[in-house]
Amino acid sequence: MSSENADAGHEHEESSVWDVVVVGAGPAGASAAYAAAVAGRRVLLLEKAELPRYKTCGGGIIGYSRDALPPGFELPLQDRIHAVTFSLNGRLARTRRSRRMLFGLINRPEFDAGLVEEAQKAGAELRTGATVSRVEQHGAAVPDRRTVAVVLSGGETVLARAVVGADGSAGRIGAHVGVKLDQVDLGLEAEIPVPETVAEDWAGRVLIDWGPMPGSYGWVFPKGDTLTVGVISARGDGGGTKRYLEDFIARLGLAGFEPKISSGHLTRCRSDDSPLSRGRVLVCGDAAGLLEPWTREGISFALRSGRLAGEWAVRVAESHDAVDARRQALNYAFAIKAGLGVEMSVGRRMLKLFERRPGMLHAVLTGFRPAWNAFAGITRGTTSLAELVRSHPLAQRALSAMDR
C-alpha cells in the first residue's frame, strides 16, 4: 500500500472512532455530552428510550442545578416556590415564606429533552432506541489500547476513545466499572391532576412531611394543574412505604382524584470507596451512585458530575497510553470527591440525625429562623450542607454527637 493510501486508511479508521460516547441521556448524560461537544470533540449520546420520556422525580431545581446548566438554557418551570409547609407525619404543620424564590419546579420529560437539545446544538449526535449490552476494553472487538468498544443489544459495536456511563444506578456501565452502593431507598410518586381551585391553593408553595418510618419523608410539588405527590424511605418495607403514600394522599384531601401516573423507583448512594472509573470509562450521576443521602436530591448531582465527567472524558480521549488515561481518570475522581463527595458525607450524617430525631429537626426548621435561613440558602444555591457545617460550630457538635 502506498503511503498516501495508508494515510487515507488511517484517517478512515480514526473517523470511525468517536472521541467520547455517553451512555444515557438524562441530566448527567446530556451534561457530559454537552461538555465534551463544547470542547470540540466528536460525541455520540446513546439513549435506550425514545425522547421525551417520563422519569419518577419530584422535579425540584435548586440553585446548584441552575448554576450547572448550559449558558442561556431556559428552564421550563412549572412553578416558582416562595413558601414551604413543614409537617411531622401530618401534625404540627407550619409554613415558612420567602420574598425571593427558593427553587423552581420542572417536569422531567421537558427538562431532559431540553438538555439533550443543548448537547446537540453543541455538536453531539443523539441515537435513541440504543440499548447497551456491554462495554469491552480488551478483546477482539477492541482494535487497540486507546479504544473502548460499546456493544449494543443488536450486536453493533461502537468504538470510542472514552466512555461516560450515565445510564442509571442499575445500568451496564456502573456494573462494568464496579460501582458499590451502600444506601438504597424506595421512592413512590403519583402525578395527580386537580381542579383549578385546588391548584390555586398550592401555587408557589410546597409541602415537606417528615414521615412515620426512620429517614422517610413526603412531598407535594405543584406544577400547574397537576400535583406531584411522593414519599421515600429505606428499601425493605415496601408495604409500609405504600401505606405512607396512601395515608399522605388521603389526609391531604386528594384521594378522590385519579392519578394520571403512579410510579416507583430505587435511589442508590455510592459507598465511600466505590470506583468512579475503570480504564477509559467514567461514571457520573445515578450510574455512579451520586446523590444527596438525606434528601435523595439527585438532579444537581447529576448535572454537576455530568459536566465534570464530560470535561475529563475529553482528557482521557486525548491520552495516548494507559498511564495517562489512568491519571486523567484519577483527576476526575478527585474532583468529584472534593466537591460532591464532601456534600454526601455531610448528608449521611444529617440522615442519621434525621432518623433518630425527626421531631427535633422539625422544631428547629419551623421555630429557629437561622435554620430556616440556612434551608433557604441551600435551595437557592448560596450555600451547601457542607459549608454550613464547616462554618457553624453548633452544627459540627450536633453531627459529631450523632457519630458516637
Side-chain angles (χ1 to χ4, degrees), residues 214-298:
S216 67
Y217 75 95
W219 61 88
V220 178
F221 284 1
K223 299 171 184 175
D225 61 358
T226 300
L227 300 180
T228 298
V229 183
V231 301
I232 196 164
S233 66
R235 183 180 65 172
D237 186 5
T241 306
K242 184 179 180 181
R243 285 191 298 275
Y244 176 27
L245 178 61
E246 292 171 347
D247 293 345
F248 188 41
I249 290 174
R251 67 171 179 253
L252 290 169
L254 301 174
F257 304 115
E258 184 69 24
K260 63 180 177 182
I261 298 176
S262 294
S263 62
H265 73 297
L266 295 175
T267 65
R268 300 173 171 93
C269 291
R270 67 187 296 273
S271 305
D272 281 336
D273 61 345
S274 179
L276 290 161
S277 67
R278 176 181 174 187
R280 290 178 174 267
V281 179
L282 311 178
V283 286
C284 60
D286 287 346
L290 292 168
L291 71 156
E292 201 281 293
W294 174 34
T295 63
R296 291 81 156 186
E297 191 278 321

Side-chain angles (χ1 to χ4, degrees), residues 23-38:
V23 183
S31 296
Y34 174 85
V38 161

Side-chain angles (χ1 to χ4, degrees), residues 146-191:
R146 288 188 61 208
T147 307
V148 181
V150 180
V151 183
L152 306 185
S153 58
E156 179 187 354
T157 297
V158 178
L159 302 179
R161 298 298 181 205
V163 171
V164 175
D167 53 341
S169 60
R172 302 287 186 180
I173 313 303
H176 173 79
V177 168
V179 172
K180 295 185 289 185
L181 306 162
D182 68 357
Q183 177 187 326
V184 184
D185 296 286
L186 171 63
L188 300 177
E189 197 166 72
E191 302 284 352

Side-chain angles (χ1 to χ4, degrees), residues 73-250:
F73 183 84
E74 189 171 336
L75 277 167
L77 292 181
Q78 301 299 308
D79 205 342
R80 292 168 169 80
I81 301 305
H82 289 79
V84 181
T85 298
F86 296 99
S87 63
L88 183 62
N89 196 22
R91 301 175 290 107
L92 305 174
R94 183 172 180 183
T95 300
R96 286 285 199 175
R97 302 184 183 277
S98 171
R99 293 179 182 177
R100 295 170 53 202
M101 186 178 86
L102 296 166
F103 58 97
L105 299 177
I106 52 93
N107 287 322
R108 279 290 300 277
E110 299 169 14
F111 178 68
D112 291 12
L115 289 173
V116 169
E117 185 176 339
E118 291 296 322
Q120 290 177 288
K121 288 178 182 176
E125 183 174 318
L126 171 68
R127 283 184 59 182
T128 58
T131 301
V132 173
S133 62
R134 66 184 185 277
V135 174
E136 296 181 6
Q137 300 194 63
H138 307 282
V142 184
D144 57 62
R145 294 183 179 181
R146 288 188 61 208
T147 307
V148 181
V150 180
V151 183
L152 306 185
S153 58
E156 179 187 354
T157 297
V158 178
L159 302 179
R161 298 298 181 205
V163 171
V164 175
D167 53 341
S169 60
R172 302 287 186 180
I173 313 303
H176 173 79
V177 168
V179 172
K180 295 185 289 185
L181 306 162
D182 68 357
Q183 177 187 326
V184 184
D185 296 286
L186 171 63
L188 300 177
E189 197 166 72
E191 302 284 352
I192 305 177
V194 294
E196 184 177 351
T197 53
V198 176
E200 288 174 353
D201 288 341
W202 286 98
R205 176 176 65 94
V206 301
L207 168 64
I208 296 176
D209 178 72
W210 312 119
M213 296 171 286
S216 67
Y217 75 95
W219 61 88
V220 178
F221 284 1
K223 299 171 184 175
D225 61 358
T226 300
L227 300 180
T228 298
V229 183
V231 301
I232 196 164
S233 66
R235 183 180 65 172
D237 186 5
T241 306
K242 184 179 180 181
R243 285 191 298 275
Y244 176 27
L245 178 61
E246 292 171 347
D247 293 345
F248 188 41
I249 290 174

